[in-house]
Amino acid sequence: MKWCDFFCEWADTQGTECAAGGCRREIAIYCKKFKKLVVKNALCIEDKRKMLTQDEEYQRLFGQ
């Protein structure tokens, strides 16, 4: 599993200066791969998506 932190090759702090609200309360990292702000130390978006595709209950509720 990968985690969103500053060791990730896609991590950047450049897009975080304009963050407001919830992202300001948490430490935000800009993911260049998915082009969005993520919370530092969160599970990688790619890994999370892989896990959800294998979760039968999630697939039953939300489909592909």
Side-chain angles (χ1 to χ4, degrees):
M1 279 206 230
K2 295 183 283 184
W3 302 94
C4 283
D5 57 18
F6 293 110
F7 294 109
C8 178
E9 65 181 296
W10 302 104
D12 194 6
T13 57
Q14 233 171 339
T16 60
E17 65 273 352
C18 61
C23 294
R24 279 280 189 209
R25 288 189 292 275
E26 302 290 334
I27 297 174
I29 296 176
Y30 183 76
C31 179
K32 294 185 284 187
K33 183 174 185 177
F34 291 100
K35 298 182 175 100
K36 62 189 293 184
L37 289 173
V38 293
V39 177
K40 183 178 179 280
N41 296 327
L43 184 62
C44 177
I45 296 170
E46 188 172 25
D47 285 355
K48 185 185 270 187
R49 288 181 180 173
K50 285 179 188 175
M51 287 173 55
L52 291 176
T53 58
Q54 297 171 358
D55 184 2
E56 293 177 11
E57 182 68 13
Y58 182 86
Q59 291 303 315
R60 185 181 70 75
L61 293 173
F62 302 107
Q64 297 277 355

